[in-house]
Amino acid sequence: MTVPDWEGYVFPPAITHTQLGRRQPDRRGKVRDIYELGDKLLIVATDRISAFDSVLGSGIPLKGKVLTALTIFWFETLPAAAKNHLVTADVEQMGSDVAPHAELFRGRSMLVRKAEVVPIECVVRGYLAGSGWKEYRQRCAVCGVELPGGLGESSRLPEPIFTPSIKAESGHDENVTFERAADLHGRELLTQLRDRSLELYRQAADYAAQRGILICDTKFEWGKAGDDLILVDEILTPDSSRFWPADQYVPGQAQPSFDKQYVRDWLEQDSGWDKEPPAPDLPDHVIRRTAEKYLDAYYRLTGRTELP
C-alpha cells in the first residue's frame, strides 16, 4: 500500500479546549470534553495528548478527528461493534445547542446515548508488549492466563487473551485476573465482556491484517443501556491500541508503531522531564511526526485520505 507523503502538508492549529458558547464542558477528561444534553451526551475529542498520566502542554493537530473518524469507521464496519452508544456524528443533527458551533465540533464529536459504564477496561492482547511482556517475564503468565515458555518481546500469542484492568485506589489502572474481576462485578457479566471483547478483537485484527497493520493489543469499554451491553467511548484507535506495520514486524524486539510511542520516547530520552506534573510542551518536530503517525494509521486502515 502506498502511504501518502505528508511532507509539505499544512496542519491546522490543534484544538485543545472547547466550549458551547459560554458553557464549559460538564466533564473534561485527558482527551475528551463531555457535555450533558438531556438524555444524551455530546463527546468531543480534542487534540490533547497524554503520557505517563499527565496531559501534555501541546496538542497534536487533527488527532481528535482521527480518533472520532476511526471509531465511527469501526462501528460501521465490524459486526461485533454494531451495538454501541452512537446516535449521530452529524453536527447538523445534534440539536440547537450545537448548531451555532458546528465548525468547531464537526468531525470530532459524537452524540451518544447515556449508559452506565462498566468500571473495567477490557484489554485484549494478541502479542506480548508493554505491561504484558513485563509480567510474562516474571511469571510466564499475564493476568493469570498461563502462556507457553520461550516467548519473546512482541511474540504473537497462540490465541488472543482477555486481560481486564480496574482502577486502583491510587487512580492508576491495575491489571487483574478474570477471577478477581468476576468477584467484583459478577461472573455472568465478565463472561459477556470477555467473549464479546475477544470476538471484537478477532474481527478487527483480521481486517487490519488485510490492510498491513497488526493490532498488538487494544482496550474496550462497555456500558449498560437498559438491558443492552453496548460499546462506549472510542474503539481501536491509536490512543486505545498498539498498531504495528506488518511489513516491519520483527519478533524479539520493540516494534515501530502508529501511536504516541514517539511522544513517550522523546519524553523519556530527550526532555529531561521527571514525569511529575506539569508536563512539558512538545517541540514542533515531535508534534508533526506524531500527527503524521495518526494520519498514517487512519489512511492505512480506512483507505481514506480525507477526514470528515
Side-chain angles (χ1 to χ4, degrees):
M1 177 186 296
T2 302
V3 178
D5 182 359
W6 304 110
E7 185 176 353
Y9 185 87
V10 179
F11 286 93
I15 304 297
T16 56
H17 291 82
T18 69
Q19 58 187 61
L20 276 173
R22 297 181 179 179
R23 178 181 170 185
Q24 296 294 325
D26 294 290
R27 297 194 296 282
R28 180 168 276 148
K30 290 178 180 177
V31 174
R32 285 165 179 76
D33 290 348
I34 300 174
Y35 299 87
E36 298 268 354
L37 295 179
D39 62 348
K40 298 179 179 62
L41 298 174
L42 176 66
I43 298 180
V44 184
T46 73
D47 297 330
R48 296 192 293 268
I49 189 167
S50 66
F52 306 113
D53 288 323
S54 292
V55 177
L56 305 187
S58 309
I60 304 298
L62 298 178
K63 174 176 175 283
K65 288 196 171 188
V66 169
L67 301 183
T68 302
L70 263 179
T71 294
I72 294 166
F73 171 78
W74 292 117
F75 283 165
E76 294 173 345
T77 301
L78 303 179
K83 287 189 175 182
N84 60 71
H85 64 166
L86 180 64
V87 175
T88 184
D90 182 353
V91 290
E92 312 299 340
Q93 303 297 319
M94 292 182 183
S96 58
D97 289 336
V98 180
H101 316 287
E103 286 308 307
L104 174 63
F105 293 110
R106 182 172 284 112
R108 62 175 68 249
S109 305
M110 297 189 298
L111 187 69
V112 304
R113 57 175 167 154
K114 291 181 177 179
E116 179 187 351
V117 177
V118 179
I120 297 173
E121 285 198 339
C122 295
V123 180
V124 180
R125 304 175 190 269
Y127 297 78
L128 269 182
S131 63
W133 167 235
K134 181 179 180 180
E135 185 176 347
Y136 172 81
R137 285 181 292 169
Q138 297 172 340
R139 301 183 178 89
C140 209
V142 180
C143 293
V145 180
E146 294 186 4
L147 295 170
L151 299 178
E153 183 177 9
S154 304
S155 287
R156 182 173 181 174
L157 300 176
E159 294 289 339
I161 60 174
F162 176 74
T163 58
S165 69
I166 60 174
K167 286 290 184 186
E169 290 184 5
S170 65
H172 297 291
D173 292 335
E174 176 187 350
N175 294 341
V176 296
T177 65
F178 177 90
E179 296 300 328
R180 170 66 173 148
D183 287 343
L184 291 171
H185 299 287
R187 181 169 297 274
E188 181 178 353
L189 175 60
L190 260 293
T191 299
Q192 289 185 65
L193 294 174
R194 178 194 63 195
D195 293 351
R196 291 182 62 178
S197 296
L198 285 169
E199 179 58 23
L200 190 51
Y201 173 85
R202 291 188 185 100
Q203 291 182 12
D206 288 347
Y207 172 88
Q210 299 172 40
R211 306 289 301 183
I213 285 184
L214 305 178
I215 303 179
C216 166
D217 52 30
T218 193
K219 62 183 179 183
F220 304 113
E221 291 194 48
W222 300 84
K224 297 177 182 177
D227 294 331
D228 292 332
L229 186 64
I230 62 174
L231 282 166
V232 299
D233 204 10
E234 66 181 297
I235 65 165
L236 296 157
T237 72
D239 272 14
S240 66
S241 317
R242 285 186 179 91
F243 293 144
W244 295 341
D247 59 357
Q248 298 178 53
Y249 173 63
V250 180
Q253 63 185 46
Q255 307 298 312
S257 60
F258 298 101
D259 56 27
K260 54 188 175 184
Q261 190 59 47
Y262 191 75
V263 170
R264 294 191 193 99
D265 289 345
W266 180 84
L267 289 169
E268 290 199 298
Q269 298 168 15
D270 301 319
S271 72
W273 182 43
D274 62 2
K275 298 183 183 178
E276 294 294 327
D281 289 340
L282 300 173
D284 289 345
H285 73 276
V286 174
I287 292 172
R288 182 175 185 90
R289 186 69 187 108
T290 305
E292 291 172 352
K293 283 178 172 286
Y294 276 75
L295 286 172
D296 276 353
Y298 175 74
Y299 173 75
R300 288 173 186 251
L301 287 166
T302 68
R304 303 168 186 170
T305 56
E306 298 293 329
L307 288 164

